[in-house]
Amino acid sequence: STDTRKGELQARLDTAYEKLKSDAIASVEKAETTKAQADVDAGRTIVNKLPAGELKTELLARLDAIQEEIKKKIEMDNLYELALAAIIKAEQNKTILNISNADKAVQKVKNDDVRKPELVERLEALYYHLQLEEAKKAVTDAERYYKANPSKVSNAQNLVDALKEGADKDALQARLDAIYKLIDDANYEKALALVKSAEMPTVRKKVATLQAAIDKAQPAVDILFESERKADLQARLDAVLAALFA
């Protein structure tokens, strides 16, 4: 009968709808698990076959949420890849420009990207390389020009002080210490000559000339590094000074 045929048709339609609904839900759940673009596209094709309604709206919203995740991941990956390429370029050719470009690229990497800390660590190593090279150059300049320009030494010392503890810093400090030794040796020779001058009998005859000699010698002794030879010069100068008031 007609009613029977209608009932059978409705039953088939109901079965087909239930299967479509089941397939649509399963496809969305798969896309949520894999987060793969192909699965999102496949799920959307199936869900779009559903009649308009609450289920279709919900499933499409869930697919849209996955699509947004995929979009964000692609953006995150692209920013990471750009930063990684910039870091590698800077590591291969450590110029200020390359390191600066790497810094800008790393800053753009998302903070919630778990790969960012490693990039930051490599970037810090690149900046330390620049810092170390600057200190090395400053020490070399100090070795060459310490006599003509003493400020080269203090500048180098400031840069070496700023380095992290380690073999590189120790080696540069040793080179600076050698410069300090040369400076102190030269200063000692000057101080020794001035003390000897104060000790000369002809100088010691007159209070005015002796006082003038002491006034020249004392600052020369004062700037010497603490040592036995400084103490010896100071003792000799003190003896001369004592004679002045004897």
Side-chain angles (χ1 to χ4, degrees):
S1 69
T2 302
D3 288 342
T4 301
R5 286 197 297 274
K6 283 183 178 179
E8 290 173 351
L9 177 59
Q10 187 60 52
R12 286 199 297 273
L13 287 173
D14 289 345
T15 300
Y17 174 71
E18 287 301 322
K19 185 178 187 311
L20 178 60
K21 184 172 73 170
S22 176
D23 289 347
I25 293 172
S27 68
V28 171
E29 289 176 345
K30 181 182 180 183
E32 287 175 330
T33 300
T34 65
K35 304 272 194 292
Q37 185 64 57
D39 290 333
V40 174
D41 294 341
R44 199 176 295 279
T45 298
I46 297 172
V47 172
N48 280 332
K49 292 177 182 178
L50 289 171
E54 188 177 329
L55 177 62
K56 183 174 185 177
T57 300
E58 178 208 333
L59 293 178
L60 286 176
R62 286 164 67 180
L63 287 172
D64 287 343
I66 304 166
Q67 187 65 64
E68 188 62 26
E69 282 187 52
I70 292 173
K71 178 184 174 184
K72 286 182 178 179
K73 186 177 186 307
I74 290 172
E75 181 185 4
M76 180 181 286
D77 286 346
N78 285 341
L79 291 173
Y80 170 77
E81 292 298 333
L82 287 171
L84 178 61
I87 286 285
I88 292 172
K89 182 178 180 181
E91 287 173 338
Q92 292 173 344
N93 186 13
K94 298 180 181 70
T95 65
I96 294 175
L97 177 61
N98 285 346
I99 294 173
S100 177
N101 288 338
D103 193 338
K104 292 174 185 174
V106 170
Q107 286 183 39
K108 291 178 182 177
V109 175
K110 302 295 183 184
N111 288 331
D112 56 349
D113 190 331
V114 296
R115 300 166 293 185
K116 185 170 185 175
E118 189 236 346
L119 294 179
V120 171
E121 187 176 326
R122 291 167 72 174
L123 182 63
E124 288 173 349
L126 287 167
Y127 272 121
Y128 185 73
H129 169 80
L130 288 183
Q131 185 184 1
L132 180 58
E133 289 304 305
E134 184 183 14
K136 286 180 179 178
K137 183 181 182 304
V139 170
T140 298
D141 284 348
E143 289 170 333
R144 290 175 179 171
Y145 307 117
Y146 73 90
K147 289 182 181 178
N149 191 352
S151 67
K152 294 282 187 181
V153 181
S154 57
N155 177 60
Q157 185 64 68
N158 289 336
L159 292 172
V160 171
D161 286 343
L163 296 176
K164 62 185 178 183
E165 298 302 321
D168 289 325
K169 181 175 184 174
D170 291 344
L172 291 177
Q173 187 59 58
R175 289 168 63 184
L176 283 176
D177 289 344
I179 297 173
Y180 291 136
K181 178 67 167 57
L182 292 173
I183 293 172
D184 197 57
D185 286 347
N187 287 339
Y188 173 74
E189 292 303 322
K190 292 177 184 176
L192 177 61
L194 289 169
V195 170
K196 283 182 176 179
S197 176
E199 290 172 330
M200 289 176 63
T202 53
V203 172
R204 297 174 68 169
K205 281 182 179 179
K206 294 182 180 179
V207 172
T209 54
L210 180 54
Q211 185 64 62
I214 291 172
D215 289 344
K216 283 184 180 180
Q218 187 60 65
V221 173
D222 289 342
I223 64 171
L224 297 176
F225 292 149
E226 296 303 322
S227 62
E228 286 188 18
R229 65 184 183 180
K230 177 179 180 177
D232 176 64
L233 285 186
Q234 187 62 58
R236 289 166 65 177
L237 199 57
D238 288 343
V240 173
L241 189 60
L244 180 63
F245 296 103

